[in-house]
Amino acid sequence: MRFLGHIKIDPSATEEEIAELLPAEQTRFAELVEQGLINTFYLSHTRDEHWSLCIADSDDELKTALESLPLYKYMKIEYTQLVDDANQA
């Protein structure tokens, strides 16, 4: 299943909180890319939000993966399942 995700960092998060977790966030994000769960991503010029094309077997798998990100508690996440080309009428 393919999903389009939009993740925005909560503006109430301090720069210190973000800086402390950023190395671990980058490592975990790279692992999700390597696993194929995050297929493509686009970072905004402000670097506080991004859009991702994700591939997961289920909504629960995607949710669990996103919850594993160290900055998860500071994220506002929206995602929607996309129609696969093979399933279009």
Side-chain angles (χ1 to χ4, degrees), residues 1-59:
M1 301 169 68
R2 295 181 310 144
F3 298 87
L4 181 62
H6 176 233
I7 297 175
K8 185 161 179 67
I9 299 297
D10 187 335
S12 69
T14 67
E15 287 185 31
E16 293 80 19
E17 290 168 322
I18 300 298
E20 182 179 321
L21 294 172
L22 194 56
E25 177 76 12
Q26 291 170 328
T27 298
R28 181 62 185 139
F29 193 90
E31 290 170 355
L32 294 175
V33 170
E34 186 176 314
Q35 293 169 7
L37 194 124
I38 297 174
N39 181 269
T40 307
F41 61 93
Y42 303 92
L43 185 63
S44 73
H45 75 283
T46 57
R47 304 179 79 73
D48 65 347
E49 64 183 318
H50 81 267
W51 294 261
S52 298
L53 178 60
C54 301
I55 300 172
D57 290 332
S58 68
D59 184 70

Side-chain angles (χ1 to χ4, degrees), residues 19 29-30 42 46 61 65-66 68-69 75 81 88-89:
F29 193 90
Y42 303 92
T46 57
E61 181 185 19
L66 295 174
S68 74
L69 292 165
M75 294 177 176
Q81 184 179 346
Q88 290 185 23

